[in-house]
Amino acid sequence: MTYLACLFRQALRGMRSNPLIQVGAVGSIAMGLLLVGLVAVLVLNINRLTTRWGRGTHVVAYLAPDLPQARVEQLAALLRQRPEVGTVTHVSGARARRLLAQSLGAQSDLLETVEPGFLPASLEIRLKAVDEAAARALVALLASARDV
């Protein structure tokens, strides 16, 4: 125990005799830890971003109000026949409202002031591959449709 006490006293003497060295050492360690933390946060955010990008390209086609269900199914079937289209999902206005409420979480009470029929029905289209030309062609096709 006396050896440990002697080492401790010697360390305190060194700190008192030259405090600038101690401040420099503590500052260097703090900066190193800060840099490691920043890199860790950056890596986590990049992983989340690439995971979202990896989910594929989506096109959302908002449908005209009061479009008959038969026409919605016809549009979805036509889209599914296209080679660049992977999946087509019909999302009603009510379902869109539920999804928005889920994404808002604790702030979902904000939707109480929004009219029930405010959100339009849509077709969510997931493309098979990320191809800008195919996506542009699909968007042009959808833009020319009278019900979209």
Side-chain angles (χ1 to χ4, degrees), residues 2-124:
T2 58
Y3 180 71
L4 190 59
C6 180
L7 286 177
F8 186 70
R9 278 192 303 261
Q10 189 176 4
L12 285 177
R13 256 187 260 127
M15 283 185 225
R16 275 188 243 128
S17 68
N18 203 345
L20 191 58
I21 291 176
Q22 307 305 319
V23 170
V26 169
S28 298
I29 291 170
M31 289 301 291
L33 290 174
L34 177 67
L35 289 175
V36 168
L38 286 175
V39 168
V41 167
L42 184 66
V43 166
L44 285 173
N45 286 335
I46 288 174
N47 280 340
R48 287 181 185 160
L49 185 61
T50 56
T51 300
R52 286 184 186 159
W53 281 346
R55 292 181 186 161
T57 303
H58 290 78
V59 176
V60 178
Y62 295 102
L63 303 174
D66 302 323
L67 191 66
Q69 185 63 28
R71 178 66 177 145
V72 172
E73 291 171 8
Q74 181 185 22
L75 284 170
L78 288 172
L79 289 169
R80 285 186 189 103
Q81 292 174 359
R82 296 191 55 90
E84 69 269 20
V85 173
T87 61
V88 177
T89 306
H90 175 248
V91 178
S92 67
R95 182 167 178 234
R97 186 180 177 93
R98 284 192 306 272
L99 291 172
L100 181 58
Q102 286 175 354
S103 68
L104 288 174
Q107 297 177 338
S108 64
D109 58 338
L110 294 172
L111 288 176
E112 291 175 6
T113 59
V114 177
E115 296 173 14
F118 179 74
L119 296 174
S122 64
L123 291 175
E124 292 184 355

